[in-house]
Amino acid sequence: MASEDIAQLTEALAKTHVGELSYKGLGLKLDNAESVKEMVQDIEQFQGLQSLKLEGNTFGVEAAQSIAKALEAKSELEQCHWSDMFTGRLRSEIPPALNSLGGALMTSGARLTEVDLSDNAFGPDGVKAIETLLKSSACYTLSALRLNNCGMGIGGGRVLASALTECHKQSSGAGSPLRLKVFIAGRNRLENDGATALAKAFKLLGSLEEVHMPQNGINHAGITALAAAMQHNPNLQVLNLNDNTFTKRGSIAMAEAISHLQCLQVINFGDCLVRSEGALAIAWALKEGVPHLRELNLSFGEITETAALIVAKAAQDKADLEKLDLNGNCLGEDGCEALREMMEGMNLGDMLGSLSDDEGEPDDDDDDDVEDSEDEDEDKDEDEDNEDAEEENGVNGTDDFNEENEEPHHSSELIAFLNSPSSEKLISFGAKRVQLIEQEVDVSDACKVSDVFLKISSVYEEEPEVKQAVFESTDALLRKAFSNSHSRSYSFISSLIVNLGLLKSEDKKIKVSVLPGHLLALEHAAAQEFFPLDQAGVLEAFVSRHGKVLESCSSARDALKTTLAKRTTA
């Protein structure tokens, strides 16, 4: 067979894969009707066209209109692979081109399953150009929507969210609700408002299996909205939010969400500023759920050694685990070696990704003012709103107690004690102290539980009556906190670790002067059955590795370490 014949055959085969016509990556510059004449003929003559690949070429308005005319008769078309179609075109050329193509798809009666318009940089106007298509019956059957790197911005995100919502509404009315499975929209500058708008649509859909939204400038407010939406998509398998900004609040919200997602396999939260508190939250989520985890990426998140080890430990029982990426964090040489040893000890050494870009241990006197100030700027308005709400509700610091159905003087007595703790006040409560704590302290706020615990235990004395009063009170408090919710029990331990100076927090907090009573009350509680074993393990890891900060209470610290070690090795 002549070489020309071989070339023609190869080209023909490339264009006829199971109903597929492909011009992918040819680099053609198609400006007018004449330039696409042969392409139009191919489309018109192709029987049973199901997939059309036009990516990697550049189409002018007239060329797109000619292609659209040919598509009006292609009712069997299902897949439109139309990424990177407008390189070098004016922004004003793209919407009319998209309008023509979208109109043709609606006219044809096609029922699309996949639309890929990635890498087209069409901005908000481009989203408006496909809005009608996305709302139409042509998209009632849409399974995958790929809009990566399109420059949608906040406005485009809102338009897209509205279109998906309307499509779901109309398709539901037609008896076949939209069941979008794959959504890809990375590098689109969606920010919080765009992400929040899309989150509302995702919550309504409930059918997502893959969500990729990396590099969108989303911080904790948008992440929290997305987290709430993900809980309504129980079949979610892949969640990629790489290179957004979680911080503590976003991480905790996302951890709560993924703990409910039993089908989740791939989690990519790399370069998301998860930090150590966020990593602890995610470790808790892994313990609670995610049974089929294959990949976890928490790289470049300012996570320190102990938190990284706890994450690794949480992944121990994941039979499907293929990769754990903790590169680019703040483990230090010893921390990296400890992590490798732990993974090897769990027979998971091959699953650990490279640690070559580790940032090293953070110095105790590292200056975080620049980064913290950025976080504070983001949160300023929200925090002010929260403070206003608290003032309106009479909430201030530890004064947030439940007074319903209780005699008012009870709360007044407890508040007086918490504002100025003393052993005399605690003993004066008498036999009612346990009931008072159990009924009045709101354990839904882990930070407040931690504060109350520290205030009560601060009055510890070796005198038997005081000692008994402190242990009874702190045990009652923690028993209620731990029985209320596992997620809150984790949150309490995390908050307590921060308060004891064992972990640096991104929140601005007044440092607590650690007293022996704090550690002895904790040691007494840790020995009780109500103290969760996994949380004892977390606490033991931090006390063992950062015990130097408790040197002023070395005897109490050592007693706590011994008790925790017994609990975790029993």
Side-chain angles (χ1 to χ4, degrees):
M1 184 179 290
S3 59
E4 292 181 1
D5 294 333
I6 293 174
Q8 290 175 355
L9 178 59
T10 301
E11 183 180 0
L13 288 172
K15 293 183 179 181
T16 56
H17 284 165
V18 194
E20 176 186 292
L21 183 57
S22 176
Y23 298 91
K24 181 179 179 179
L26 296 181
L28 302 175
K29 189 174 187 296
L30 307 166
D31 298 323
N32 49 41
E34 182 63 27
S35 65
V36 293
K37 184 176 180 181
E38 292 183 11
M39 192 178 291
V40 167
Q41 290 176 349
D42 287 345
I43 293 172
E44 290 174 341
Q45 293 171 9
F46 199 112
Q47 298 300 310
L49 180 62
Q50 296 178 357
S51 174
L52 179 60
K53 293 188 172 182
L54 301 178
E55 65 259 54
N57 301 287
T58 176
F59 293 80
V61 175
E62 187 178 331
Q65 289 172 340
S66 296
I67 297 291
K69 188 66 177 176
L71 290 176
E72 289 180 356
K74 298 300 173 181
S75 62
E76 296 179 29
L77 185 63
E78 297 177 355
Q79 300 178 14
C80 299
H81 298 278
W82 296 350
S83 62
D84 190 20
M85 278 180 53
F86 300 109
T87 299
R89 300 293 172 181
L90 296 174
R91 180 70 68 88
S92 60
E93 293 182 85
I94 302 176
L98 290 174
N99 273 322
S100 298
L101 292 167
L105 296 172
M106 291 185 285
T107 300
S108 72
R111 292 294 182 266
L112 302 175
T113 60
E114 183 172 352
V115 172
D116 186 355
L117 289 168
S118 299
D119 301 317
N120 279 315
F122 46 54
D125 290 341
V127 184
K128 292 176 183 177
I130 61 171
E131 180 181 11
T132 303
L133 170 65
L134 292 174
K135 292 179 179 179
S136 74
S137 59
C139 288
Y140 287 0
T141 51
L142 197 61
S143 177
L145 179 59
R146 294 177 167 86
L147 296 171
N148 201 58
N149 191 30
C150 289
M152 289 191 286
I154 293 172
R158 286 171 170 162
V159 172
L160 178 59
S162 176
L164 292 174
T165 300
E166 183 64 20
C167 184
H168 184 270
K169 177 182 177 181
Q170 295 297 334
S171 59
S172 297
S176 182
L178 171 64
R179 293 193 56 78
L180 187 67
K181 295 181 179 180
V182 178
F183 179 84
I184 300 177
R187 300 183 64 188
N188 271 292
R189 303 193 306 276
L190 294 170
E191 301 182 14
N192 284 342
D193 290 347
T196 299
L198 285 166
K200 293 177 181 178
F202 296 163
K203 183 177 179 180
L204 181 66
L205 291 173
S207 57
L208 292 169
E209 296 180 7
E210 290 189 31
V211 173
H212 301 261
M213 297 175 65
Q215 263 186 299
N216 269 298
I218 309 169
N219 65 30
H220 75 83
I223 295 299
T224 299
L226 288 171
M230 292 306 108
Q231 292 191 53
H232 293 269
N233 289 266
N235 295 319
L236 190 69
Q237 298 176 28
V238 179
L239 182 56
N240 175 9
L241 295 172
N242 188 285
D243 199 8
N244 289 291
T245 306
F246 282 35
T247 60
K248 174 185 171 182
R249 277 184 279 186
S251 299
I252 290 174
M254 195 56 72
E256 179 69 30
I258 65 177
S259 72
H260 297 286
L261 297 173
Q262 299 302 300
C263 297
L264 195 58
Q265 298 177 25
V266 177
I267 300 171
N268 187 344
F269 297 160
D271 203 12
C272 283
L273 207 61
V274 166
R275 292 178 172 151
S276 294
E277 286 183 275
L280 293 180
I282 292 168
W284 162 79
L286 298 184
K287 283 284 189 181
E288 287 291 287
V290 205
H292 304 295
L293 181 69
R294 289 194 294 109
E295 297 181 19
L296 174 62
N297 184 347
L298 293 179
S299 60
F300 299 93
E302 295 189 3
I303 299 169
T304 53
E305 174 191 353
T306 308
L309 293 173
I310 290 171
V311 169
K313 185 73 172 176
Q316 179 179 12
D317 298 325
K318 306 304 177 185
D320 300 323
L321 187 68
E322 297 175 3
K323 184 175 182 181
L324 173 63
D325 190 349
L326 288 166
N327 195 21
N329 283 298
C330 303
L331 279 61
E333 289 185 17
D334 291 343
C336 288
E337 186 58 31
L339 179 59
R340 291 189 190 98
E341 289 180 359
M342 173 179 280
M343 293 292 284
E344 290 287 350
M346 298 187 298
N347 294 319
L348 297 174
D350 292 341
M351 311 304 174
L352 181 63
S354 170
L355 298 174
S356 60
D357 295 316
D358 187 76
E359 295 288 340
E361 287 185 79
D363 295 332
D364 291 338
D365 58 350
D366 270 353
D367 189 350
D368 291 6
D369 289 346
V370 174
E371 200 149 45
D372 288 343
S373 67
E374 291 175 357
D375 293 339
E376 288 171 4
D377 288 342
E378 292 173 356
D379 301 340
K380 184 176 179 181
D381 293 338
E382 181 179 326
D383 289 343
E384 288 176 352
D385 290 343
N386 289 341
E387 288 172 7
D388 292 342
E390 287 179 355
E391 290 175 4
E392 291 173 7
N393 292 313
V395 177
N396 183 17
T398 56
D399 296 356
D400 189 12
F401 302 107
N402 179 12
E403 299 187 16
E404 292 182 10
N405 303 318
E406 299 296 331
E407 295 179 21
H409 70 276
H410 283 174
S411 288
S412 298
E413 287 178 325
L414 189 57
I415 290 172
F417 167 77
L418 294 172
N419 286 337
S420 181
S422 72
S423 57
E424 292 79 7
K425 290 177 184 176
L426 185 63
I427 290 173
S428 72
F429 293 150
K432 69 182 180 183
R433 73 173 68 91
V434 170
Q435 181 183 16
L436 189 64
I437 290 169
E438 289 178 341
Q439 292 182 346
E440 303 293 347
V441 179
D442 176 14
V443 296
S444 66
D445 188 327
C447 291
K448 287 190 172 68
V449 174
S450 178
D451 289 341
V452 172
F453 174 84
L454 293 172
K455 287 178 183 291
I456 295 173
S457 57
S458 70
V459 305
Y460 175 89
E461 297 173 8
E462 284 295 332
E463 199 279 318
E465 186 178 12
V466 176
K467 184 176 182 178
Q468 181 181 355
V470 169
F471 286 169
E472 284 181 354
S473 301
T474 51
D475 281 1
L477 174 67
L478 298 194
R479 185 182 296 107
K480 181 182 179 183
F482 288 145
S483 65
N484 186 265
S485 164
H486 198 157
S487 64
R488 287 173 185 158
S489 72
Y490 134 73
S491 298
F492 163 72
I493 291 297
S494 180
S495 180
L496 188 62
I497 288 169
V498 169
N499 282 334
L500 293 176
L502 298 171
L503 175 65
K504 187 172 184 178
S505 175
E506 65 187 47
D507 296 331
K508 293 293 185 181
K509 289 190 175 184
I510 299 175
K511 291 185 178 180
V512 174
S513 297
V514 180
L515 301 172
H518 294 145
L519 304 183
L520 292 172
L522 189 56
E523 185 268 335
H524 185 271
Q528 311 306 313
E529 289 187 3
F530 65 74
F531 202 102
L533 188 58
D534 58 340
Q535 298 308 314
V538 172
L539 188 57
E540 194 269 339
F542 276 94
V543 173
S544 296
R545 292 180 174 275
H546 304 281
K548 288 184 179 180
V549 302
L550 304 176
E551 191 64 38
S552 63
C553 308
S554 58
S555 178
R557 176 201 63 195
D558 293 344
L560 175 60
K561 286 173 65 175
T562 300
T563 296
L564 291 170
K566 287 180 180 178
R567 283 297 309 277
T568 55
T569 58

